[in-house]
Amino acid sequence: MGQELFQIVESPIETETVINKVKGREMGAITTFIGTVREYTNGKRTIYLAYQAYTSMAEKMLAQIGGEIQEKWPGTHVAITHRVGALEISDIAVVIAVSSPHRKAAYQANEYAIERIKQIVPIWKKEHWDDGEAWLGDQLEQKAYPNGKPEIEGGGL
Amino acid sequence: MGQELFQIVESPIETETVINKVKGREMGAITTFIGTVREYTNGKRTIYLAYQAYTSMAEKMLAQIGGEIQEKWPGTHVAITHRVGALEISDIAVVIAVSSPHRKAAYQANEYAIERIKQIVPIWKKEHWDDGEAWLGDQLEQKAYPNGKPEIEGGGL
Amino acid sequence: MITVLLFAQLQEEARTATLTINEDVLTVNQLKNQLINAYQLYQVNECMIAINEEYALDIDEIKPGDTVAVIPPVSGG
Amino acid sequence: MITVLLFAQLQEEARTATLTINEDVLTVNQLKNQLINAYQLYQVNECMIAINEEYALDIDEIKPGDTVAVIPPVSGG
């Protein structure tokens, strides 16, 4: 491909660049998910976020998610870029692009990707507020891994 | 807004432009759907497509879909641009951008938008093949409207 | 007199994007019958009619000055 | 000797991104206990361990030369 489909980067993400990685003449639908830094979470105002990753493993896990998707939705193409470092409000943290001959798979596979990112990709977020800061536990509202481990194998939908 | 959220255009669509219309500090998720011209449909090779619209009514119907979405998923913002005229393989026919504080609504509302476009927006597609051409009936695989009319009111999900 | 907008295959069959019907008031259903009888536009049976950019029912009335459009099954997206 | 990578709050608590454990071979479970007993990293109980970038089970063995990482609940996306 000459392009990295699954990347952790430190610079701003250009949505168009991620989309271009999955384009193809056989595709009729491309879905993208753009995760941005929200100002208020549960009524609390975020000043900025800091993302940290175990980069090499994170890219491997993103690629694993891509593999899971191609198995579940044959014919789809996936590219994911996640940014790390300090991000301000409205900055893009992650872009997921999925192309597919038909739209249904493009939506399903895209949503699957973000759910899996929140399960298995070693990236952590530290929220900085007016009055303090904290590393967030996972956003699936779990204090720890439900079965003592993340769902490594990628269960059904 | 100073920007048209629901547009029929004749020139190429820039995805980024549509995305920018729905950005906001309170948004954590933006989904986009990009409909592109596929080379093969049911094994038949498309050379190019021609889209025609009843432009003024089409923009009104797109805005109606936007209204339906804001009612069903409060807090979301929607922008839709559809192109008309001659489109080649891989050209973008439609871009739907939905932003939301949370991702679930952004996915659901986006998929709702494309389904509704295929029901009520007066746009028609003519396929041109090696050996002929034809205006397509609607892509919901119906020969005519199921109840003698499109689902104008926007039923449940 | 009522002006009727045609699109897609109907426009090609009628070889025009606009038809003129010499009636003052008529229902959507009456208009459809005229389009079939006078112009052989049989696909009208599969079409919706829009009056002033709003989808209309067969029993709705079309008045002079209204913009009427014949809407074949749509295929955008 | 085993090198352990720390991230997020564990990295801050330990005031280092890397720890060195003076053992040749030990299980994931034994490593967790060492991190708790010797470094008071109690959050390890909520963490996964990755060996060479693969998630590991408590009974898996860590060998010299392996890269071990302690993975707190992730919060990317």
Side-chain angles (χ1 to χ4, degrees):
Chain A
M1 285 250 158
Q3 296 170 312
E4 290 302 331
L5 294 178
F6 306 100
Q7 274 192 309
I8 306 294
V9 299
E10 293 181 18
S11 45
I13 304 175
E14 285 179 18
T15 306
E16 202 71 27
T17 306
V18 185
I19 292 172
N20 285 337
K21 293 177 185 175
V22 300
K23 280 190 175 165
R25 296 172 70 82
E26 72 281 22
M27 301 310 184
I30 302 171
T31 54
T32 68
F33 175 83
I34 304 167
T36 54
V37 177
R38 196 174 49 216
E39 186 165 21
Y40 284 91
T41 296
N42 301 326
K44 210 158 175 170
R45 180 158 174 251
T46 299
I47 307 300
Y48 73 98
L49 291 183
Y51 280 95
Q52 189 183 70
Y54 179 12
T55 303
S56 56
M57 182 172 170
E59 290 183 339
K60 231 170 123 172
M61 290 296 116
L62 291 177
Q64 178 184 314
I65 293 169
E68 291 170 11
I69 285 172
Q70 288 199 306
E71 199 162 303
K72 283 172 187 286
W73 294 278
T76 56
H77 289 186
V78 189
I80 306 173
T81 302
H82 201 300
R83 185 175 169 193
V84 293
L87 273 74
E88 298 182 2
I89 308 303
S90 290
D91 278 356
I92 296 175
V94 62
V95 173
I96 303 166
V98 177
S99 64
S100 164
H102 301 282
R103 68 182 181 281
K104 198 81 197 169
Y107 279 109
Q108 290 181 343
N110 199 303
E111 193 165 6
Y112 177 84
I114 185 66
E115 298 299 332
R116 290 294 280 157
I117 286 171
K118 290 173 184 293
Q119 287 170 355
I120 66 167
V121 180
I123 299 176
W124 303 274
K125 178 160 75 176
K126 189 177 191 176
E127 296 228 25
H128 293 259
W129 306 293
D130 272 331
D131 58 350
E133 57 182 45
W135 288 97
L136 291 217
D138 69 85
Q139 299 165 354
L140 301 173
E141 310 292 317
Q142 299 155 181
K143 284 278 178 226
Y145 295 109
N147 310 313
K149 61 186 176 88
E151 300 262 331
I152 297 163
E153 296 303 336
L157 279 179
Chain B
M1 285 249 161
Q3 297 169 312
E4 291 301 332
L5 295 177
F6 305 100
Q7 274 192 309
I8 305 294
V9 299
E10 293 181 18
S11 45
I13 304 175
E14 285 179 17
T15 306
E16 202 71 25
T17 306
V18 185
I19 292 171
N20 285 337
K21 294 177 186 176
V22 301
K23 280 191 176 167
R25 296 173 70 82
E26 73 281 23
M27 302 308 184
I30 302 171
T31 54
T32 68
F33 175 83
I34 304 167
T36 54
V37 177
R38 195 174 50 215
E39 185 164 23
Y40 285 91
T41 297
N42 301 327
K44 212 160 172 165
R45 181 161 172 248
T46 298
I47 307 300
Y48 73 98
L49 290 183
Y51 280 96
Q52 190 184 70
Y54 179 14
T55 302
S56 56
M57 181 171 169
E59 289 182 340
K60 230 170 123 171
M61 290 296 116
L62 291 177
Q64 177 183 316
I65 293 169
E68 290 171 11
I69 286 172
Q70 288 199 304
E71 199 161 303
K72 284 172 186 287
W73 294 278
T76 56
H77 289 187
V78 189
I80 307 173
T81 302
H82 201 301
R83 185 176 170 193
V84 293
L87 273 74
E88 298 181 2
I89 308 303
S90 289
D91 277 355
I92 297 176
V94 62
V95 173
I96 302 165
V98 177
S99 65
S100 165
H102 301 283
R103 68 183 180 281
K104 197 82 198 167
Y107 280 110
Q108 289 180 344
N110 199 303
E111 193 166 6
Y112 177 84
I114 185 67
E115 298 298 334
R116 289 295 279 158
I117 287 171
K118 289 173 184 294
Q119 288 170 355
I120 66 167
V121 180
I123 299 176
W124 302 274
K125 178 161 76 175
K126 189 178 192 175
E127 295 229 25
H128 294 258
W129 305 294
D130 271 329
D131 59 350
E133 57 183 44
W135 288 98
L136 290 218
D138 71 83
Q139 298 166 356
L140 301 173
E141 309 293 315
Q142 299 155 180
K143 285 278 176 223
Y145 294 109
N147 309 313
K149 61 186 177 87
E151 300 261 330
I152 298 163
E153 297 303 336
L157 281 179
Chain C
M1 210 186 80
I2 288 160
T3 304
V4 179
L5 308 179
L6 301 177
F7 297 96
Q9 58 269 65
L10 282 169
Q11 190 178 98
E12 290 183 359
E13 276 170 34
R15 290 167 197 269
T16 177
T18 316
L19 287 177
T20 302
I21 306 275
N22 288 316
E23 301 273 355
D24 272 349
V25 177
L26 77 177
T27 66
V28 165
N29 200 43
Q30 287 167 336
L31 173 71
K32 283 184 175 180
N33 288 333
Q34 284 222 15
L35 292 171
I36 292 168
N37 296 330
Y39 299 91
Q40 287 78 50
L41 297 176
Y42 300 105
Q43 208 214 343
V44 163
N45 278 325
E46 297 170 11
C47 294
M48 282 297 292
I49 301 294
I51 305 175
N52 301 326
E53 303 177 0
E54 300 272 3
Y55 286 110
L57 303 174
D58 273 356
I59 53 167
D60 285 341
E61 269 196 358
I62 302 165
K63 294 171 206 71
D66 284 347
T67 303
V68 177
V70 185
I71 313 279
V74 304
S75 54
Chain D
M1 211 185 80
I2 288 161
T3 304
V4 179
L5 307 180
L6 302 177
F7 297 95
Q9 57 271 64
L10 283 168
Q11 190 178 98
E12 290 182 358
E13 277 171 33
R15 290 165 198 268
T16 177
T18 316
L19 288 176
T20 303
I21 305 274
N22 288 318
E23 300 274 353
D24 272 348
V25 178
L26 77 178
T27 66
V28 164
N29 200 44
Q30 288 168 336
L31 172 72
K32 284 184 173 181
N33 289 332
Q34 284 221 16
L35 292 171
I36 292 168
N37 297 331
Y39 299 92
Q40 287 78 51
L41 297 175
Y42 300 104
Q43 207 214 345
V44 162
N45 277 326
E46 298 169 10
C47 295
M48 283 296 293
I49 300 295
I51 306 174
N52 301 327
E53 304 178 358
E54 301 271 3
Y55 286 109
L57 303 174
D58 273 357
I59 53 168
D60 285 341
E61 270 196 358
I62 302 163
K63 293 170 208 71
D66 285 345
T67 303
V68 177
V70 185
I71 314 278
V74 304
S75 54

